[in-house]
Amino acid sequence: MAKKKKSAPVGPSALPFERPIEDVRSRLHELESLAQKTTHDLSEELAFYRQRLERLTQEIYADLSPWNRVQVARHPNRPLTSDYIQHLCQDWVELHGDGVFGDDQAMVTGFATIRGHKLLLVGHRKGRDTKDRLACNFGSAHPEGYRKALRKMRLAEHLGLPIVCLVNTPGAYPGVAAEERGQARAIAENIYEMFGLKVPIVVLVIGEGGSGGALGIGVGDRVGMMENAWYSVISPEGCASILWRSAEGKEAAADALHLTAPDLLKLGIIDKVVAEPVGGAHNQAEAAMEEVGQQIANWLDELAKIPLQELLRQRQEKFRRMAMAEESLQALFPPQTRAAESGTDPAEVDSVLEVDPARKLGLPKKPETH
Amino acid sequence: MAFRLRKKKDMPGGLWSKCPSCGKMIYAKELEQNLFVCPECTFHNTISARKRIEITADPGTFVEKFTELQPSDRLGFIDKIPYADKIAKAQEKTGNADACLAGSCRIAGHEVVLAVLDFTFMGGSMGEIVGEKVTRAVELAGERQVPVILFSASGGARMHEGAISLMQMAKTCGALKHFRDGGGFSISVMTNPTTGGVTASFASVCDLTVAEPNALIGFAGPRVIQNTIRQDLPEGFQRSEFLLAKGQVDLIVERSRMRERLGVLLGYAAQPQASFQG
């Protein structure tokens, strides 16, 4: 047993649904070390296990439940903002502090160059080891974190640098000091001001997109999400504790909230799902970060071509139109699938979900922006 | 329990009600005449949006708008009962389509657009329709070049609409930014309680933030904070007076003076040189 553990280094952080993958992986490792010691030709067996590992990973990851994706989004080996800075950013200069109160470690800001694009990077910071995590409040920023972000974003506007926001937070910090210093106002002001920033803004949810804490750096011209990230109004646990009255309902809540990247793309809330390597970003961190880097560069190229006034108008209109028209949603989430997802008798739910035409939302064909 | 039940039985036909703050029994008629402010302890009870409009707008001037907007269960959200059922129940209970009423009116003679959240409809929570109505109210005020007044009473964003309700925070803030850039004047009035996604969006980005006395105002609810820090919360924490002392609200106005005070504030915004640039 001890030997098995040694040969499978990712074992301890494997997620419950990844166990079958880990079993095959550890057997493969055993075989590999055996192949080095023996003169027998094991190449056939090795090929078999390699193929099996790949296929199994593909199969399991092709069929992740929303809750599984939440688990992947929180995986301890998943690349964090600090990894992106290290891997993607040249000429990185961290800029500290909100200029008034403090320097929130849960929010990192600085100048960076990504694939030749000079920009301002803003991101939630979670921390990798225990000490770091505590210093970053596990990625939950205080008001000074949001104010630091806004202060630096205004600087970027002044310098004409585009802004890239990496979202990865379970939510803004709920504490006495945060309330005293106006957590709600800090977030609201960021959302409000981001509509007016006269430079392109790209937002990527790289892990957790927890509610207002995420949206506080989440208003952009392009909003993307990694394949296994989640983004919603509340965490599945928070939702479960309120509506199901127990954290046990977290899996059902994750289903009900439609918090996955593919679902939010259908809802018109994000622009793109950034694909992760098979087995999740934690499985091949560098490849995952490269994909994100490419997406950032593509979007910055695209946005640079849009005249400023048009850019701001489109940003306003993008959020003005959320959510999208009822008819398209009816097609995307037909009553049958809804019922099947929630595990309730379809016939019973069908009648409830039949929407009276008079109750459909009458969104204007053209947004009433001036 | 038995004691409370018997006590309730002694009070025929809701003639009396117990103040949730001081616990005194108040004659219902008297409470109503006092605009639902406890005559004993001045606790400002939560009131419905209709009542709020009735006591805030100049009599007979309110014209309701956007009544065609009806909520729908876009995600097929089901916890114990389907969200669609919850909507229907709340509609039956309140007689309103969703948790926001909006329209045009006069306040102390000033023409304004008014949007009021209704705490009696699913805790005043903001989903797509509340976000849409607040946004349209702001847009209408922009078109008419009049101030907009937003009254909040809300537990926050509505979970049953997932990320759609989260995006209403962005939508409403975007509308207010556009309105302000065009020279618009906005007042947010926070009443008990105003928390979560409503405080963290349109209610906090108006030109003026007014609060009713002793209203609970915050981002996270007190229970969530207590669960996080596992300590007792300071006296008066997250109440209007606390926020005023911390520099988070501009002024506190009692309900009995709200119309008159709003009138004075609106008077300061009616300067000819501060006209809309549209």
Side-chain angles (χ1 to χ4, degrees):
Chain A
M1 279 315 273
K3 195 181 163 194
K4 208 173 178 179
K5 253 189 180 170
K6 215 176 174 182
S7 58
V10 263
S13 49
L15 300 167
F17 67 85
E18 290 180 315
R19 287 283 140 73
I21 301 172
E22 285 313 306
D23 286 347
V24 176
R25 200 196 302 272
S26 65
R27 237 173 271 170
L28 179 64
H29 281 299
E30 269 177 60
L31 211 59
E32 276 168 347
S33 57
L34 189 67
Q36 283 173 354
K37 288 173 202 154
T38 176
T39 49
H40 287 285
D41 180 20
L42 294 175
S43 57
E44 237 174 76
E45 285 84 348
L46 280 168
F48 169 79
Y49 273 105
R50 282 195 187 115
Q51 206 186 5
R52 195 164 157 200
L53 178 67
E54 203 184 309
R55 221 183 34 230
L56 191 65
T57 312
Q58 247 162 17
E59 272 170 25
I60 287 178
Y61 268 80
D63 196 27
L64 291 186
S65 73
W67 173 249
N68 290 155
R69 286 191 199 267
V70 173
Q71 290 176 302
V72 175
R74 295 171 179 166
H75 195 286
N77 296 340
R78 189 178 178 83
L80 303 171
T81 299
S82 49
D83 299 312
Y84 286 90
I85 291 171
Q86 213 171 22
H87 186 77
L88 287 183
C89 299
Q90 274 101 48
D91 291 336
W92 165 251
V93 186
E94 183 171 356
L95 301 169
H96 298 268
D98 67 348
V100 180
F101 180 82
D103 184 34
D104 192 345
Q105 296 303 300
M107 186 75 78
V108 60
T109 53
F111 293 138
T113 307
I114 296 180
R115 300 193 181 213
H117 289 271
K118 287 193 164 70
L119 52 88
L120 177 87
L121 189 95
V122 177
H124 294 105
R125 183 155 53 190
K126 276 188 167 180
R128 184 68 76 190
D129 56 33
T130 310
K131 196 179 145 215
D132 255 10
R133 280 185 203 165
L134 280 169
C136 299
N137 271 314
F138 302 89
S140 290
H142 277 71
E144 52 271 25
Y146 292 98
R147 290 179 180 134
K148 166 173 155 181
L150 184 57
R151 186 180 168 85
K152 308 310 177 203
M153 289 194 284
R154 285 207 173 110
L155 173 64
E157 180 185 39
H158 178 60
L159 299 175
L161 291 172
I163 298 165
V164 173
C165 299
L166 300 182
V167 174
N168 191 15
T169 178
Y173 191 72
V176 174
E179 295 289 328
E180 285 179 348
R181 299 199 286 273
Q183 185 73 288
R185 180 174 290 271
I187 291 170
E189 282 178 352
N190 274 25
I191 299 171
Y192 178 88
E193 294 296 343
M194 285 180 91
F195 277 101
L197 291 172
K198 297 182 183 73
V199 286
I201 307 174
V202 165
V203 177
L204 273 152
V205 185
I206 57 167
E208 299 192 84
S211 196
L215 192 61
I217 58 165
V219 176
D221 302 300
R222 295 288 183 275
V223 180
M225 254 176 102
M226 290 184 79
E227 195 180 342
N228 296 312
W230 71 268
Y231 191 13
S232 198
V233 69
I234 189 167
S235 72
E237 289 92 338
C239 181
S241 74
I242 297 169
L243 293 181
W244 278 263
R245 296 269 164 209
S246 81
E248 303 303 302
K250 65 193 177 195
E251 292 179 37
D255 282 347
L257 285 167
H258 289 278
L259 44 64
T260 67
D263 277 0
L264 295 185
L265 184 70
K266 285 186 204 168
L267 284 165
I269 284 169
I270 59 165
D271 301 297
K272 179 140 192 166
V273 180
V274 180
E276 292 183 24
V278 175
H282 60 281
N283 206 23
Q284 295 174 52
E286 290 201 356
M289 290 190 282
E290 282 299 322
E291 194 69 30
V292 171
Q294 191 56 51
Q295 188 60 60
I296 290 171
N298 290 351
W299 271 341
L300 290 180
D301 285 335
E302 197 181 311
L303 293 170
K305 292 183 194 127
I306 304 172
L308 183 63
Q309 284 312 312
E310 178 61 14
L311 187 76
L312 293 180
R313 195 193 63 77
Q314 285 181 11
R315 191 184 301 161
Q316 174 95 17
E317 187 176 318
K318 175 182 172 63
F319 288 89
R320 176 65 188 85
R321 292 184 77 87
M322 287 183 188
M324 56 193 251
E326 175 70 20
E327 306 80 61
S328 355
L329 279 173
Q330 285 281 311
L332 291 166
F333 298 106
Q336 274 85 352
T337 20
R338 294 173 175 186
E341 278 166 16
S342 63
T344 324
D345 178 20
E348 183 189 303
V349 182
D350 228 22
S351 57
V352 177
L353 291 170
E354 209 64 75
V355 184
D356 177 355
R359 287 179 50 193
K360 283 183 182 174
L361 175 75
L363 274 175
K365 282 194 188 93
K366 268 200 158 179
E368 294 169 21
T369 45
H370 346 245
Chain B
M1 267 322 265
F3 171 74
R4 289 191 75 179
L5 277 176
R6 193 162 349 117
K7 206 170 176 190
K8 214 174 179 184
K9 238 182 182 174
D10 287 344
M11 306 299 158
L15 278 174
W16 295 81
S17 68
K18 191 178 172 186
C19 174
S21 179
C22 67
K24 294 233 170 68
M25 298 306 293
I26 314 292
Y27 189 43
K29 272 252 170 67
E30 191 189 351
L31 188 64
E32 194 174 347
Q33 273 165 10
N34 209 32
L35 307 176
F36 296 91
V37 174
C38 175
E40 297 289 334
C41 72
T42 74
F43 177 74
H44 285 53
N45 284 282
T46 300
I47 55 174
S48 73
R50 290 250 175 254
K51 191 79 203 166
R52 174 70 63 183
I53 292 164
E54 187 191 314
I55 66 172
T56 310
D58 293 350
T61 63
F62 183 72
V63 181
E64 196 177 345
K65 301 273 180 191
F66 322 123
T67 49
E68 72 280 11
L69 296 176
Q70 292 284 341
S72 57
D73 177 16
R74 289 182 177 280
L75 302 180
F77 194 104
I78 298 169
D79 49 285
K80 284 192 194 93
I81 57 165
Y83 173 43
D85 283 8
K86 283 188 187 170
I87 295 173
K89 247 183 219 167
Q91 286 179 332
E92 200 179 322
K93 183 180 122 189
T94 62
N96 299 329
D98 208 311
C100 178
L101 297 181
S104 61
C105 69
R106 285 181 176 277
I107 293 177
H110 297 275
E111 201 190 315
V112 297
V113 175
L114 184 66
V116 182
L117 300 198
D118 191 345
F119 194 74
T120 61
F121 192 109
M122 293 187 72
S125 55
M126 174 163 69
E128 184 178 18
I129 297 304
V130 172
E132 183 69 20
K133 279 199 183 183
V134 169
T135 302
R136 289 199 192 185
V138 174
E139 287 169 351
L140 180 66
E143 275 164 37
R144 295 195 176 177
Q145 309 209 344
V146 298
V148 65
I149 301 185
L150 307 172
F151 275 85
S152 303
S154 172
R158 192 174 294 169
M159 279 175 288
H160 312 75
E161 295 185 21
I164 296 172
S165 64
L166 184 66
M167 292 306 136
Q168 304 312 308
M169 293 168 64
K171 188 162 96 180
T172 52
C173 284
L176 277 162
K177 176 88 174 85
H178 190 73
F179 177 67
R180 176 66 140 68
D181 288 348
F185 176 57
S186 56
I187 301 177
S188 163
V189 186
M190 299 190 182
T191 71
N192 188 41
T194 299
T195 58
V198 168
T199 323
S201 65
F202 68 85
S204 288
V205 291
C206 291
D207 290 311
L208 286 174
T209 312
V210 179
E212 277 200 333
N214 200 34
L216 178 77
I217 299 166
F219 176 66
R223 247 185 315 152
V224 176
I225 296 170
Q226 210 153 19
N227 283 342
T228 312
I229 61 167
R230 303 193 182 282
Q231 279 168 16
D232 286 337
L233 299 172
E235 180 78 18
F237 180 61
Q238 290 186 315
R239 295 287 166 180
S240 309
E241 296 72 15
F242 177 89
L243 268 85
L244 187 84
K246 297 290 173 191
Q248 304 294 331
V249 299
D250 291 299
L251 69 161
I252 294 174
V253 174
E254 295 119 63
R255 193 173 289 167
S256 58
R257 302 187 66 200
M258 188 63 77
R259 181 187 286 156
E260 176 249 319
R261 289 281 95 186
L262 285 178
V264 173
L265 293 173
L266 290 166
Y268 279 100
Q271 304 307 310
Q273 63 268 35
S275 61
F276 278 80
Q277 270 121 61

